[in-house]
Amino acid sequence: MAALSQQTGGLSMSMQSHLEELERRHAEMERRIEDAQLHPSTDSLELANMKRQKLKIKDEIERIRHDVTIH
């Protein structure tokens, strides 16, 4: 998280905590996806939905970081 604080120096505390929560959720989705891929019985549609959700979270993280670098 130290790298996060360097990258988000211009964020308000609430926005920074929101970004940290998004990063936590992104890491959790990564773990869930990895776990699901280890089980052959995992529904491919469910796996695709988890990957899509992870990508949406990552897009939101990148949008926030991009907004910080512009302002």
Side-chain angles (χ1 to χ4, degrees):
M1 291 288 180
L4 174 65
S5 61
Q6 290 173 346
Q7 294 173 348
T8 60
L11 286 180
S12 67
M13 287 299 286
S14 62
M15 187 56 84
Q16 186 168 347
S17 58
H18 177 62
L19 185 56
E20 289 170 357
E21 175 62 18
L22 288 172
E23 289 186 332
R24 186 198 62 75
R25 288 174 44 205
H26 185 267
E28 176 62 25
M29 286 305 300
E30 180 68 27
R31 284 188 291 275
R32 288 180 58 201
I33 290 167
E34 288 173 359
D35 186 51
Q37 290 174 329
L38 294 175
H39 296 85
S41 63
T42 299
D43 179 27
S44 60
L45 182 58
E46 179 183 352
L47 185 59
N49 285 335
M50 286 191 292
K51 288 181 177 182
R52 194 172 301 113
Q53 186 176 4
K54 180 184 160 203
L55 183 58
K56 285 174 68 174
I57 294 168
K58 182 174 182 167
D59 287 346
E60 179 69 8
I61 291 168
E62 293 303 316
R63 185 192 63 75
I64 292 169
R65 286 184 178 159
H66 181 263
D67 287 352
V68 168
T69 59
I70 290 175
H71 294 79

